[in-house]
Short mmCIF file of all heavy atoms in Angstrom, two decimals:
data_model
loop_
_atom_site.label_atom_id
_atom_site.label_comp_id
_atom_site.label_asym_id
_atom_site.label_seq_id
_atom_site.Cartn_x
_atom_site.Cartn_y
_atom_site.Cartn_z
N MET A 327 0.84 -1.18 0.00
CA MET A 327 0.00 0.00 0.00
C MET A 327 0.89 1.24 0.00
O MET A 327 1.72 1.44 0.87
CB MET A 327 -0.90 -0.04 1.24
CG MET A 327 -1.75 1.17 1.40
SD MET A 327 -3.18 0.78 2.37
CE MET A 327 -2.93 1.61 3.85
N SER A 328 0.69 2.10 -0.96
CA SER A 328 1.49 3.30 -1.12
C SER A 328 0.81 4.49 -0.45
O SER A 328 -0.36 4.75 -0.68
CB SER A 328 1.70 3.57 -2.61
OG SER A 328 2.18 4.85 -2.82
N GLU A 329 1.55 5.22 0.37
CA GLU A 329 1.01 6.42 1.01
C GLU A 329 1.24 7.61 0.12
O GLU A 329 2.24 7.70 -0.58
CB GLU A 329 1.67 6.64 2.37
CG GLU A 329 1.15 5.72 3.44
CD GLU A 329 1.42 6.26 4.82
OE1 GLU A 329 1.41 7.49 5.00
OE2 GLU A 329 1.65 5.44 5.70
N GLU A 330 0.31 8.53 0.18
CA GLU A 330 0.42 9.77 -0.57
C GLU A 330 1.59 10.58 -0.02
O GLU A 330 1.77 10.69 1.19
CB GLU A 330 -0.89 10.54 -0.38
CG GLU A 330 -0.93 11.89 -1.00
CD GLU A 330 -2.21 12.64 -0.64
OE1 GLU A 330 -3.12 12.04 -0.07
OE2 GLU A 330 -2.26 13.84 -0.94
N ALA A 331 2.38 11.14 -0.92
CA ALA A 331 3.51 11.97 -0.49
C ALA A 331 2.97 13.27 0.11
O ALA A 331 1.97 13.81 -0.34
CB ALA A 331 4.41 12.29 -1.68
N VAL A 332 3.63 13.75 1.14
CA VAL A 332 3.28 15.03 1.73
C VAL A 332 3.86 16.13 0.85
O VAL A 332 5.02 16.07 0.45
CB VAL A 332 3.80 15.15 3.17
CG1 VAL A 332 3.59 16.55 3.72
CG2 VAL A 332 3.12 14.13 4.07
N LYS A 333 3.05 17.12 0.55
CA LYS A 333 3.49 18.25 -0.27
C LYS A 333 3.48 19.50 0.60
O LYS A 333 2.48 19.80 1.26
CB LYS A 333 2.53 18.44 -1.45
CG LYS A 333 2.83 19.64 -2.31
CD LYS A 333 1.77 19.78 -3.40
CE LYS A 333 1.91 21.09 -4.11
NZ LYS A 333 0.79 21.32 -5.04
N ILE A 334 4.60 20.22 0.63
CA ILE A 334 4.70 21.47 1.38
C ILE A 334 4.97 22.60 0.39
O ILE A 334 5.93 22.56 -0.36
CB ILE A 334 5.82 21.41 2.44
CG1 ILE A 334 5.57 20.25 3.40
CG2 ILE A 334 5.92 22.75 3.19
CD1 ILE A 334 6.71 20.00 4.36
N THR A 335 4.09 23.59 0.42
CA THR A 335 4.24 24.74 -0.46
C THR A 335 4.55 25.97 0.39
O THR A 335 3.80 26.29 1.32
CB THR A 335 2.94 24.99 -1.26
OG1 THR A 335 2.61 23.81 -1.98
CG2 THR A 335 3.10 26.16 -2.23
N VAL A 336 5.66 26.63 0.08
CA VAL A 336 6.02 27.86 0.78
C VAL A 336 5.30 29.00 0.07
O VAL A 336 5.61 29.31 -1.08
CB VAL A 336 7.56 28.09 0.75
CG1 VAL A 336 7.92 29.37 1.49
CG2 VAL A 336 8.29 26.89 1.34
N ARG A 337 4.32 29.58 0.75
CA ARG A 337 3.55 30.66 0.15
C ARG A 337 4.33 31.96 0.30
O ARG A 337 4.77 32.30 1.41
CB ARG A 337 2.19 30.78 0.82
CG ARG A 337 1.33 29.55 0.68
CD ARG A 337 0.26 29.79 -0.38
NE ARG A 337 -0.48 28.61 -0.73
CZ ARG A 337 -1.71 28.34 -0.31
NH1 ARG A 337 -2.33 29.14 0.51
NH2 ARG A 337 -2.32 27.25 -0.74
N PRO A 338 4.51 32.72 -0.79
CA PRO A 338 5.22 33.98 -0.70
C PRO A 338 4.57 34.90 0.34
O PRO A 338 3.36 35.12 0.30
CB PRO A 338 5.11 34.58 -2.10
CG PRO A 338 4.77 33.42 -2.99
CD PRO A 338 4.01 32.45 -2.14
N ASN A 339 5.38 35.38 1.28
CA ASN A 339 4.91 36.29 2.32
C ASN A 339 3.77 35.70 3.15
O ASN A 339 2.95 36.43 3.70
CB ASN A 339 4.47 37.64 1.72
CG ASN A 339 5.55 38.25 0.89
OD1 ASN A 339 6.73 38.20 1.23
ND2 ASN A 339 5.18 38.80 -0.24
N GLY A 340 3.72 34.37 3.22
CA GLY A 340 2.64 33.71 3.94
C GLY A 340 3.08 32.42 4.59
O GLY A 340 4.26 32.21 4.85
N PRO A 341 2.13 31.53 4.83
CA PRO A 341 2.39 30.31 5.59
C PRO A 341 3.02 29.20 4.77
O PRO A 341 3.20 29.32 3.55
CB PRO A 341 0.99 29.89 6.04
CG PRO A 341 0.11 30.33 4.92
CD PRO A 341 0.70 31.66 4.47
N LEU A 342 3.31 28.10 5.46
CA LEU A 342 3.68 26.85 4.81
C LEU A 342 2.39 26.05 4.65
O LEU A 342 1.72 25.76 5.65
CB LEU A 342 4.67 26.05 5.67
CG LEU A 342 6.00 26.71 5.97
CD1 LEU A 342 6.80 25.86 6.94
CD2 LEU A 342 6.79 26.91 4.68
N ARG A 343 2.01 25.72 3.44
CA ARG A 343 0.80 24.93 3.18
C ARG A 343 1.23 23.47 3.09
O ARG A 343 2.06 23.11 2.26
CB ARG A 343 0.16 25.39 1.88
CG ARG A 343 -1.13 24.71 1.55
CD ARG A 343 -2.24 25.19 2.46
NE ARG A 343 -3.51 24.61 2.03
CZ ARG A 343 -4.59 24.63 2.74
NH1 ARG A 343 -4.58 25.21 3.92
NH2 ARG A 343 -5.69 24.10 2.30
N VAL A 344 0.68 22.63 3.96
CA VAL A 344 1.06 21.22 4.03
C VAL A 344 -0.14 20.38 3.62
O VAL A 344 -1.22 20.51 4.19
CB VAL A 344 1.52 20.83 5.46
CG1 VAL A 344 2.03 19.41 5.49
CG2 VAL A 344 2.60 21.79 5.96
N GLU A 345 0.06 19.52 2.62
CA GLU A 345 -1.02 18.68 2.10
C GLU A 345 -0.59 17.23 2.07
O GLU A 345 0.58 16.94 1.82
CB GLU A 345 -1.38 19.11 0.67
CG GLU A 345 -1.78 20.56 0.56
CD GLU A 345 -1.89 21.00 -0.89
OE1 GLU A 345 -2.97 20.78 -1.48
OE2 GLU A 345 -0.91 21.56 -1.41
N GLY A 346 -1.52 16.33 2.31
CA GLY A 346 -1.23 14.90 2.26
C GLY A 346 -1.54 14.24 3.59
O GLY A 346 -2.33 14.74 4.39
N SER A 347 -0.93 13.10 3.81
CA SER A 347 -1.15 12.34 5.05
C SER A 347 -0.28 12.96 6.14
O SER A 347 0.90 12.66 6.27
CB SER A 347 -0.78 10.87 4.82
OG SER A 347 -1.01 10.13 5.98
N ILE A 348 -0.88 13.83 6.96
CA ILE A 348 -0.13 14.66 7.91
C ILE A 348 -0.29 14.15 9.34
O ILE A 348 -1.40 13.87 9.78
CB ILE A 348 -0.63 16.12 7.87
CG1 ILE A 348 -0.57 16.67 6.44
CG2 ILE A 348 0.16 16.99 8.82
CD1 ILE A 348 -1.42 17.91 6.24
N VAL A 349 0.83 14.03 10.04
CA VAL A 349 0.83 13.79 11.48
C VAL A 349 1.60 14.96 12.07
O VAL A 349 2.76 15.17 11.73
CB VAL A 349 1.51 12.46 11.85
CG1 VAL A 349 1.60 12.31 13.36
CG2 VAL A 349 0.77 11.28 11.23
N LEU A 350 0.96 15.73 12.94
CA LEU A 350 1.58 16.90 13.55
C LEU A 350 1.65 16.68 15.05
O LEU A 350 0.62 16.45 15.69
CB LEU A 350 0.78 18.17 13.22
CG LEU A 350 1.33 19.49 13.74
CD1 LEU A 350 2.71 19.78 13.15
CD2 LEU A 350 0.37 20.62 13.42
N LYS A 351 2.87 16.72 15.60
CA LYS A 351 3.08 16.49 17.03
C LYS A 351 3.75 17.69 17.67
O LYS A 351 4.55 18.38 17.02
CB LYS A 351 3.98 15.27 17.25
CG LYS A 351 3.36 13.98 16.77
CD LYS A 351 4.28 12.81 17.06
CE LYS A 351 3.66 11.50 16.60
NZ LYS A 351 4.47 10.35 17.01
N ASP A 352 3.47 17.89 18.97
CA ASP A 352 4.16 18.94 19.71
C ASP A 352 5.48 18.40 20.25
O ASP A 352 5.84 17.24 20.01
CB ASP A 352 3.28 19.52 20.83
CG ASP A 352 3.03 18.57 21.98
OD1 ASP A 352 3.65 17.49 22.06
OD2 ASP A 352 2.20 18.93 22.85
N ALA A 353 6.22 19.21 20.97
CA ALA A 353 7.55 18.82 21.47
C ALA A 353 7.49 17.63 22.44
O ALA A 353 8.48 16.93 22.61
CB ALA A 353 8.22 20.01 22.15
N ASP A 354 6.32 17.41 23.06
CA ASP A 354 6.16 16.28 23.98
C ASP A 354 5.63 15.03 23.30
O ASP A 354 5.37 14.02 23.95
CB ASP A 354 5.22 16.67 25.12
CG ASP A 354 5.77 17.79 25.97
OD1 ASP A 354 7.01 17.81 26.19
OD2 ASP A 354 4.99 18.66 26.40
N GLY A 355 5.43 15.10 21.99
CA GLY A 355 4.97 13.94 21.23
C GLY A 355 3.45 13.81 21.15
O GLY A 355 2.95 12.85 20.59
N LYS A 356 2.71 14.79 21.69
CA LYS A 356 1.25 14.75 21.60
C LYS A 356 0.82 15.20 20.21
O LYS A 356 1.33 16.19 19.68
CB LYS A 356 0.61 15.64 22.67
CG LYS A 356 0.83 15.11 24.08
CD LYS A 356 0.00 15.88 25.10
CE LYS A 356 0.72 17.16 25.45
NZ LYS A 356 0.05 17.94 26.49
N GLU A 357 -0.15 14.47 19.65
CA GLU A 357 -0.63 14.75 18.30
C GLU A 357 -1.83 15.69 18.29
O GLU A 357 -2.70 15.58 19.13
CB GLU A 357 -1.05 13.46 17.59
CG GLU A 357 0.08 12.64 17.08
CD GLU A 357 -0.39 11.47 16.23
OE1 GLU A 357 -1.45 11.56 15.57
OE2 GLU A 357 0.32 10.46 16.23
N TRP A 358 -1.84 16.60 17.30
CA TRP A 358 -3.03 17.41 17.05
C TRP A 358 -4.02 16.51 16.32
O TRP A 358 -3.63 15.67 15.50
CB TRP A 358 -2.70 18.59 16.13
CG TRP A 358 -2.32 19.84 16.86
CD1 TRP A 358 -3.18 20.83 17.25
CD2 TRP A 358 -1.02 20.26 17.26
NE1 TRP A 358 -2.48 21.83 17.88
CE2 TRP A 358 -1.15 21.51 17.90
CE3 TRP A 358 0.25 19.69 17.16
CZ2 TRP A 358 -0.08 22.21 18.42
CZ3 TRP A 358 1.31 20.38 17.68
CH2 TRP A 358 1.15 21.62 18.30
N ASP A 359 -5.30 16.69 16.57
CA ASP A 359 -6.34 15.96 15.86
C ASP A 359 -6.61 16.67 14.54
O ASP A 359 -7.19 17.76 14.53
CB ASP A 359 -7.62 15.89 16.70
CG ASP A 359 -8.73 15.13 16.00
OD1 ASP A 359 -8.51 14.58 14.90
OD2 ASP A 359 -9.84 15.08 16.56
N LEU A 360 -6.15 16.09 13.46
CA LEU A 360 -6.32 16.68 12.14
C LEU A 360 -7.36 15.92 11.32
O LEU A 360 -7.36 16.00 10.09
CB LEU A 360 -4.97 16.70 11.40
CG LEU A 360 -3.85 17.49 12.09
CD1 LEU A 360 -2.55 17.35 11.30
CD2 LEU A 360 -4.24 18.94 12.27
N THR A 361 -8.26 15.20 12.00
CA THR A 361 -9.30 14.44 11.33
C THR A 361 -10.08 15.33 10.38
O THR A 361 -10.52 16.42 10.76
CB THR A 361 -10.26 13.82 12.37
OG1 THR A 361 -9.51 13.03 13.29
CG2 THR A 361 -11.33 12.97 11.71
N GLY A 362 -10.20 14.88 9.15
CA GLY A 362 -10.96 15.63 8.14
C GLY A 362 -10.20 16.79 7.53
O GLY A 362 -10.78 17.56 6.77
N LYS A 363 -8.93 16.94 7.86
CA LYS A 363 -8.12 18.05 7.32
C LYS A 363 -7.14 17.48 6.28
O LYS A 363 -6.10 16.95 6.63
CB LYS A 363 -7.32 18.73 8.43
CG LYS A 363 -8.16 19.25 9.56
CD LYS A 363 -8.54 20.66 9.27
CE LYS A 363 -9.21 21.24 10.50
NZ LYS A 363 -10.16 22.23 10.17
N PRO A 364 -7.45 17.62 5.00
CA PRO A 364 -6.52 17.14 3.97
C PRO A 364 -5.32 18.06 3.80
O PRO A 364 -4.33 17.69 3.18
CB PRO A 364 -7.38 17.11 2.71
CG PRO A 364 -8.42 18.15 2.95
CD PRO A 364 -8.68 18.15 4.44
N ALA A 365 -5.41 19.27 4.38
CA ALA A 365 -4.31 20.24 4.28
C ALA A 365 -4.39 21.19 5.48
O ALA A 365 -5.46 21.43 6.03
CB ALA A 365 -4.41 21.03 2.98
N ILE A 366 -3.21 21.71 5.86
CA ILE A 366 -3.14 22.72 6.92
C ILE A 366 -2.15 23.79 6.49
O ILE A 366 -1.30 23.56 5.63
CB ILE A 366 -2.70 22.11 8.28
CG1 ILE A 366 -1.33 21.44 8.17
CG2 ILE A 366 -3.76 21.17 8.82
CD1 ILE A 366 -0.76 20.96 9.51
N SER A 367 -2.25 24.97 7.10
CA SER A 367 -1.30 26.04 6.86
C SER A 367 -0.60 26.35 8.17
O SER A 367 -1.25 26.60 9.18
CB SER A 367 -2.01 27.30 6.34
OG SER A 367 -2.51 27.07 5.04
N LEU A 368 0.73 26.31 8.15
CA LEU A 368 1.54 26.55 9.35
C LEU A 368 2.14 27.95 9.30
O LEU A 368 2.66 28.39 8.26
CB LEU A 368 2.64 25.51 9.46
CG LEU A 368 2.17 24.07 9.61
CD1 LEU A 368 3.36 23.11 9.60
CD2 LEU A 368 1.36 23.88 10.88
N CYS A 369 2.07 28.65 10.44
CA CYS A 369 2.55 30.02 10.55
C CYS A 369 4.06 30.11 10.34
O CYS A 369 4.82 29.30 10.87
CB CYS A 369 2.19 30.54 11.94
SG CYS A 369 2.81 32.20 12.29
N ARG A 370 4.49 31.12 9.58
CA ARG A 370 5.92 31.42 9.44
C ARG A 370 6.28 32.76 10.06
O ARG A 370 7.43 33.00 10.38
CB ARG A 370 6.33 31.49 7.96
CG ARG A 370 6.49 30.17 7.29
CD ARG A 370 7.31 30.27 6.02
NE ARG A 370 6.78 31.20 5.05
CZ ARG A 370 7.52 31.82 4.13
NH1 ARG A 370 8.81 31.61 4.06
NH2 ARG A 370 6.97 32.64 3.27
N CYS A 371 5.28 33.63 10.25
CA CYS A 371 5.58 34.99 10.71
C CYS A 371 5.73 35.08 12.23
O CYS A 371 6.32 36.03 12.73
CB CYS A 371 4.50 35.96 10.24
SG CYS A 371 2.93 35.88 11.13
N GLY A 372 5.18 34.10 12.97
CA GLY A 372 5.29 34.10 14.42
C GLY A 372 4.25 34.93 15.13
O GLY A 372 4.29 35.06 16.35
N HIS A 373 3.29 35.50 14.41
CA HIS A 373 2.29 36.37 15.03
C HIS A 373 0.90 35.75 15.13
O HIS A 373 -0.01 36.38 15.66
CB HIS A 373 2.20 37.70 14.28
CG HIS A 373 3.41 38.55 14.49
ND1 HIS A 373 3.51 39.46 15.51
CD2 HIS A 373 4.58 38.61 13.81
CE1 HIS A 373 4.69 40.05 15.45
NE2 HIS A 373 5.37 39.54 14.44
N SER A 374 0.73 34.54 14.65
CA SER A 374 -0.58 33.89 14.70
C SER A 374 -1.02 33.63 16.14
O SER A 374 -0.23 33.23 16.98
CB SER A 374 -0.54 32.55 13.94
OG SER A 374 -1.77 31.86 14.10
N GLU A 375 -2.30 33.85 16.40
CA GLU A 375 -2.88 33.53 17.71
C GLU A 375 -3.21 32.04 17.80
O GLU A 375 -3.57 31.56 18.87
CB GLU A 375 -4.16 34.36 17.93
CG GLU A 375 -3.92 35.85 18.02
CD GLU A 375 -3.15 36.28 19.25
OE1 GLU A 375 -3.34 35.66 20.31
OE2 GLU A 375 -2.34 37.22 19.14
N LYS A 376 -3.10 31.32 16.68
CA LYS A 376 -3.43 29.89 16.64
C LYS A 376 -2.21 29.03 16.32
O LYS A 376 -2.34 27.96 15.74
CB LYS A 376 -4.52 29.65 15.59
CG LYS A 376 -5.81 30.36 15.89
CD LYS A 376 -6.84 30.07 14.84
CE LYS A 376 -8.14 30.75 15.19
NZ LYS A 376 -9.20 30.44 14.24
N ARG A 377 -1.02 29.51 16.67
CA ARG A 377 0.20 28.76 16.37
C ARG A 377 0.08 27.33 16.87
O ARG A 377 -0.46 27.11 17.94
CB ARG A 377 1.42 29.42 17.01
CG ARG A 377 1.91 30.59 16.22
CD ARG A 377 3.14 31.20 16.86
NE ARG A 377 2.86 31.57 18.23
CZ ARG A 377 3.07 32.77 18.75
NH1 ARG A 377 3.59 33.72 18.03
NH2 ARG A 377 2.78 33.03 19.99
N PRO A 378 0.57 26.39 16.08
CA PRO A 378 1.44 26.54 14.91
C PRO A 378 0.68 26.84 13.62
O PRO A 378 1.28 26.94 12.56
CB PRO A 378 2.14 25.19 14.82
CG PRO A 378 1.11 24.21 15.27
CD PRO A 378 0.36 24.94 16.37
N PHE A 379 -0.65 26.98 13.70
CA PHE A 379 -1.44 27.19 12.50
C PHE A 379 -1.51 28.67 12.14
O PHE A 379 -1.47 29.55 13.00
CB PHE A 379 -2.86 26.64 12.70
CG PHE A 379 -2.85 25.19 13.11
CD1 PHE A 379 -3.06 24.83 14.43
CD2 PHE A 379 -2.59 24.20 12.19
CE1 PHE A 379 -3.03 23.50 14.82
CE2 PHE A 379 -2.56 22.87 12.57
CZ PHE A 379 -2.77 22.51 13.89
N CYS A 380 -1.64 28.94 10.86
CA CYS A 380 -1.75 30.30 10.35
C CYS A 380 -3.16 30.83 10.58
O CYS A 380 -4.13 30.11 10.38
CB CYS A 380 -1.43 30.30 8.85
SG CYS A 380 -1.64 31.90 8.06
N ASP A 381 -3.26 32.08 11.00
CA ASP A 381 -4.56 32.74 11.12
C ASP A 381 -4.65 34.00 10.27
O ASP A 381 -5.57 34.78 10.42
CB ASP A 381 -4.88 33.06 12.59
CG ASP A 381 -3.99 34.16 13.17
OD1 ASP A 381 -3.10 34.68 12.47
OD2 ASP A 381 -4.20 34.51 14.35
N GLY A 382 -3.71 34.19 9.36
CA GLY A 382 -3.72 35.35 8.47
C GLY A 382 -3.01 36.57 9.03
O GLY A 382 -3.01 37.62 8.40
N SER A 383 -2.39 36.45 10.20
CA SER A 383 -1.71 37.59 10.81
C SER A 383 -0.60 38.16 9.93
O SER A 383 -0.28 39.35 10.03
CB SER A 383 -1.12 37.20 12.17
OG SER A 383 -2.12 36.96 13.11
N HIS A 384 -0.02 37.33 9.06
CA HIS A 384 1.06 37.81 8.18
C HIS A 384 0.58 38.98 7.32
O HIS A 384 1.36 39.89 7.03
CB HIS A 384 1.60 36.67 7.30
CG HIS A 384 0.55 36.00 6.47
ND1 HIS A 384 -0.24 34.99 6.97
CD2 HIS A 384 0.16 36.21 5.20
CE1 HIS A 384 -1.07 34.59 6.02
NE2 HIS A 384 -0.85 35.32 4.94
N ASN A 385 -0.69 38.99 6.95
CA ASN A 385 -1.23 40.12 6.17
C ASN A 385 -1.28 41.38 7.01
O ASN A 385 -0.93 42.47 6.53
CB ASN A 385 -2.64 39.79 5.67
CG ASN A 385 -2.63 38.73 4.59
OD1 ASN A 385 -1.77 38.72 3.72
ND2 ASN A 385 -3.59 37.83 4.66
N ARG A 386 -1.72 41.26 8.24
CA ARG A 386 -1.88 42.42 9.14
C ARG A 386 -0.54 43.09 9.45
O ARG A 386 -0.45 44.31 9.51
CB ARG A 386 -2.56 41.97 10.43
CG ARG A 386 -2.78 43.08 11.44
CD ARG A 386 -3.52 42.61 12.69
NE ARG A 386 -3.04 41.38 13.27
CZ ARG A 386 -1.98 41.25 14.06
NH1 ARG A 386 -1.26 42.31 14.36
NH2 ARG A 386 -1.63 40.09 14.56
N ILE A 387 0.51 42.26 9.64
CA ILE A 387 1.80 42.83 10.04
C ILE A 387 2.73 43.13 8.87
O ILE A 387 3.81 43.66 9.06
CB ILE A 387 2.53 41.90 11.03
CG1 ILE A 387 2.92 40.57 10.37
CG2 ILE A 387 1.69 41.67 12.27
CD1 ILE A 387 4.00 39.82 11.10
N GLY A 388 2.32 42.76 7.65
CA GLY A 388 3.15 43.02 6.48
C GLY A 388 4.35 42.10 6.37
O GLY A 388 5.41 42.50 5.89
N PHE A 389 4.21 40.84 6.81
CA PHE A 389 5.30 39.86 6.75
C PHE A 389 5.82 39.73 5.32
O PHE A 389 5.05 39.60 4.37
CB PHE A 389 4.78 38.50 7.25
CG PHE A 389 5.78 37.39 7.19
CD1 PHE A 389 6.87 37.36 8.06
CD2 PHE A 389 5.64 36.36 6.29
CE1 PHE A 389 7.78 36.32 8.02
CE2 PHE A 389 6.55 35.31 6.26
CZ PHE A 389 7.62 35.30 7.12
N GLN A 390 7.14 39.78 5.17
CA GLN A 390 7.79 39.65 3.87
C GLN A 390 8.85 38.56 3.96
O GLN A 390 9.68 38.57 4.86
CB GLN A 390 8.47 40.96 3.47
CG GLN A 390 7.52 42.12 3.29
CD GLN A 390 6.71 41.99 2.03
OE1 GLN A 390 7.27 41.83 0.94
NE2 GLN A 390 5.40 42.04 2.15
N CYS A 391 8.79 37.62 3.02
CA CYS A 391 9.80 36.56 2.97
C CYS A 391 9.80 35.95 1.59
O CYS A 391 8.75 35.45 1.13
CB CYS A 391 9.53 35.49 4.02
SG CYS A 391 10.83 34.26 4.12
N ALA A 392 10.92 35.98 0.92
CA ALA A 392 11.05 35.36 -0.40
C ALA A 392 10.89 33.85 -0.24
O ALA A 392 11.29 33.27 0.75
CB ALA A 392 12.40 35.69 -1.01
N ALA A 393 10.30 33.24 -1.25
CA ALA A 393 10.05 31.80 -1.19
C ALA A 393 10.53 31.14 -2.47
O ALA A 393 9.74 30.68 -3.28
CB ALA A 393 8.58 31.54 -0.97
N THR A 394 11.84 31.12 -2.67
CA THR A 394 12.39 30.48 -3.84
C THR A 394 13.41 29.43 -3.43
O THR A 394 14.14 29.62 -2.45
CB THR A 394 13.08 31.51 -4.76
OG1 THR A 394 14.07 32.21 -4.01
CG2 THR A 394 12.08 32.51 -5.32
N PRO A 395 13.43 28.30 -4.16
CA PRO A 395 14.39 27.24 -3.79
C PRO A 395 15.82 27.72 -3.95
O PRO A 395 16.15 28.49 -4.85
CB PRO A 395 14.10 26.13 -4.80
CG PRO A 395 12.74 26.44 -5.34
CD PRO A 395 12.58 27.92 -5.26
N GLY A 396 16.64 27.27 -3.04
CA GLY A 396 18.06 27.61 -3.10
C GLY A 396 18.88 26.38 -2.77
O GLY A 396 18.35 25.34 -2.42
N ASN A 397 20.16 26.53 -2.84
CA ASN A 397 21.07 25.44 -2.53
C ASN A 397 21.18 25.28 -1.01
O ASN A 397 21.41 26.26 -0.29
CB ASN A 397 22.45 25.76 -3.14
CG ASN A 397 23.38 24.56 -3.08
OD1 ASN A 397 23.11 23.59 -2.38
ND2 ASN A 397 24.46 24.65 -3.82
N LEU A 398 20.98 24.08 -0.49
CA LEU A 398 21.02 23.84 0.95
C LEU A 398 22.43 23.67 1.50
O LEU A 398 22.60 23.63 2.71
CB LEU A 398 20.19 22.60 1.30
CG LEU A 398 18.69 22.72 1.04
CD1 LEU A 398 17.99 21.42 1.36
CD2 LEU A 398 18.10 23.86 1.84
N THR A 399 23.41 23.58 0.65
CA THR A 399 24.77 23.36 1.15
C THR A 399 25.50 24.67 1.37
O THR A 399 25.15 25.70 0.95
CB THR A 399 25.60 22.49 0.19
OG1 THR A 399 25.62 23.10 -1.10
CG2 THR A 399 25.02 21.12 0.13
#
């Protein structure tokens, strides 16, 4: 049985959009209940009231971040 690959899209000036078979755990190993959620958006700006999830705060604060692939080395 093949599992769907997880796809992460870096939204320009916005969140990380995560799609696929997602398991999200906190630092203590507790899982968020993502039942019925085929995709989630994770905050990158640090201002969301619903962290780790995005609540659109990046728009309010004018968050800017380029989102282009680069060399990791």
